[in-house]
């Protein structure tokens, strides 16, 4: 097994995120099964001349090679209770069937399209299938979602926090929208849901400027997508921004200068008015002195 894996590793460059990876189609993206059942995953590609399909199991960021299909010739790894069927040619379906699932069968499974060659050639990954073997006694449970407003004493940029909790299993994803437009800038989501007892929890943070948060009526929307075994359900929460006058540096300097100018004008006016009053008093005193004479 190790020798075969090394041979494939040295003769194949595994690539993800490439434009050709978009031509590798893996289904389903999510899958639940029970212990003792089987799970079937399909993969196809539309890359010219490619005729080999590689299969991997990822657990805790470690890839385990499961086998490969060369055209219609399957070669599963020995000692693994799996079956490869179909064809690895362009436009055909290649399927991986895992028999008699156990709890440790839970993982992310990947297919990768490649070209059979004695030389190094790139292999392009599919998007992966997250398989969970359900634990006995635990029911599939959708998350509860809440959004926490920024702390009042937080200076500068504001951080909104979306918390999804109480769900099982961990087939969940989180996204943010501002005024119905999906945003990714300023978003930080936990790499994986954290388990606490029988259930999971995941947190996502959205960081925005003061100007954005203090815009009356602006909507901040957290959308949590959860796979329940038959389809996807969404739990959504929306909060609105608060109105507050937030000045930019230029605006603050302009207002400060305007205030200084207004204050200076007021002082000048006060001086003029004081001088005018003093002049009137002097005139009145002069007039009174003449009458006395």
């Amino acid at each position: 097994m190790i020798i075969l894996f090394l041979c494939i590793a040295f003769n194949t460059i595994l690539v993800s995120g490439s434009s050709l990876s978009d031509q590798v189609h893996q289904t389903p993206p999510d899958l639940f099964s029970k212990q003792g059942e089987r799970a079937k995953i399909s993969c196809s590609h539309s890359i010219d001349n490619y005729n080999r399909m590689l299969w991997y199991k990822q657990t805790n960021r470690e890839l385990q090679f499961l086998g490969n299909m060369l055209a219609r010739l399957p070669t599963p790894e020995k000692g693994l209770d799996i079956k490869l069927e179909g064809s690895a040619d362009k436009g055909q379906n290649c399927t991986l069937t895992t028999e008699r699932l156990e709890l440790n069968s839970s993982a992310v499974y990947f297919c990768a399209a490649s070209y059979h060659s004695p030389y190094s050639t790139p292999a392009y990954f599919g998007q992966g299938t997250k398989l969970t073997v359900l634990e006995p006694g635990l029911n599939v449970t959708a998350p509860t979602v809440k959004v926490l407003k920024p702390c009042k004493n937080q200076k500068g940029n504001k951080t909104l926090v979306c918390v999804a909790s109480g769900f099982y299993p961990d087939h969940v994803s989180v996204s943010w929208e501002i005024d119905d437009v999906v945003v990714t800038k300023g978003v930080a989501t936990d790499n994986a849901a954290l388990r606490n007892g029988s259930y999971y929890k995941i947190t996502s943070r959205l960081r925005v400027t003061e100007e954005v948060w203090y815009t009356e009526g602006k909507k901040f929307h957290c959308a949590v997508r959860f796979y329940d075994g038959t389809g996807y359900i969404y739990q959504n929460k929306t909060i609105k921004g608060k109105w507050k006058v937030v000045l930019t540096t230029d605006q603050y300097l302009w207002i400060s200068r305007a205030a200084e100018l207004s204050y200076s004008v007021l002082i000048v006016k006060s001086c003029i008015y004081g001088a005018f009053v003093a002049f009137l008093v002097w005139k009145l005193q002069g007039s009174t002195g003449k009458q006395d004479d």
Side-chain angles (χ1 to χ4, degrees):
M1 172 179 166
I2 295 177
I3 295 176
L4 178 58
F5 176 77
L6 290 176
C7 290
I8 292 176
F10 281 120
N11 288 279
T12 304
I13 302 172
L14 300 177
V15 181
S16 62
S18 165
S19 58
L20 287 182
S21 290
D22 295 337
Q23 298 184 44
V24 181
H25 311 288
Q26 184 174 340
T27 58
D30 292 276
L31 186 61
F32 292 169
S33 290
K34 296 180 180 179
Q35 284 183 282
E37 294 182 344
R38 65 173 57 178
K40 182 176 289 188
I41 303 170
S42 297
C43 191
S44 64
H45 70 86
S46 54
I47 305 174
D48 292 335
N49 301 320
Y50 271 44
N51 62 351
R52 184 171 66 171
M53 192 71 74
L54 312 172
W55 287 94
Y56 297 90
K57 174 184 177 182
Q58 183 185 40
T59 307
N60 297 326
R61 298 186 179 181
E62 294 182 359
L63 278 179
Q64 177 188 2
F65 179 65
L66 302 177
N68 76 100
M69 172 78 77
L70 175 59
R72 294 182 178 273
L73 178 63
T75 309
E77 282 287 83
K78 294 180 180 180
L80 300 179
D81 200 1
I82 64 169
K83 182 166 56 177
L84 299 176
E85 297 175 296
S87 171
D89 292 325
K90 176 182 177 181
Q92 303 297 311
N93 275 322
C94 178
T95 60
L96 166 71
T97 302
T98 303
E99 306 282 357
R100 291 178 288 277
L101 293 167
E102 299 294 339
L103 291 178
N104 60 9
S105 301
S106 295
V108 180
Y109 292 79
F110 290 96
C111 65
S114 176
Y115 175 65
H116 180 61
S117 169
Y119 306 102
S120 295
T121 56
Y124 297 96
F125 273 95
Q127 297 303 306
T129 296
K130 184 178 177 65
L131 168 65
T132 292
V133 180
L134 299 173
E135 299 176 28
L138 292 182
N139 296 321
V140 176
T141 306
T144 299
V145 180
K146 60 182 178 180
V147 178
L148 307 178
K149 297 180 180 180
C151 297
K152 293 182 179 180
N153 58 354
Q154 183 181 11
K155 297 181 180 180
N157 293 338
K158 303 298 181 182
T159 301
L160 291 75
V161 180
C162 180
V163 181
S165 59
F167 57 92
Y168 175 82
D170 59 337
H171 289 235
V172 70
S173 62
V174 185
S175 61
W176 285 92
E177 297 176 6
I178 298 179
D179 285 344
D180 302 321
V181 177
V182 176
V183 293
T184 55
K185 183 179 179 181
V187 174
T189 303
D190 294 343
N191 292 328
L194 300 177
R195 187 159 184 171
N196 183 12
S198 299
Y199 299 99
Y200 288 91
K201 174 182 177 181
I202 192 168
T203 302
S204 181
R205 293 154 291 279
L206 172 63
R207 195 169 179 85
V208 298
T209 63
E210 281 188 303
E211 290 85 354
V212 172
W213 172 245
Y214 288 122
T215 301
E216 187 177 11
K218 186 170 285 293
K219 295 182 297 182
F220 301 89
H221 181 78
C222 176
V224 177
R225 189 183 73 166
F226 177 75
Y227 179 70
D228 67 356
T230 58
Y232 294 97
I233 61 175
Y234 290 84
Q235 300 283 2
N236 307 312
K237 287 294 180 181
T238 301
I239 61 173
K240 293 184 178 181
K242 292 187 175 181
W243 184 84
K244 178 182 177 181
V245 177
V246 179
L247 302 177
T248 64
T249 302
D250 291 340
Q251 290 173 329
Y252 178 79
L253 291 175
W254 184 87
I255 292 175
S256 297
R257 290 167 183 167
E260 290 175 359
L261 179 60
S262 298
Y263 183 68
S264 299
V265 171
L266 180 62
I267 291 176
V268 172
K269 288 183 176 180
S270 298
C271 292
I272 294 174
Y273 179 75
F276 178 71
V277 171
F279 175 75
L280 289 179
V281 171
W282 178 76
K283 289 290 290 181
L284 289 173
Q285 289 178 344
S287 300
T288 303
K290 291 180 180 180
Q291 292 176 0
D292 292 340
D293 291 341

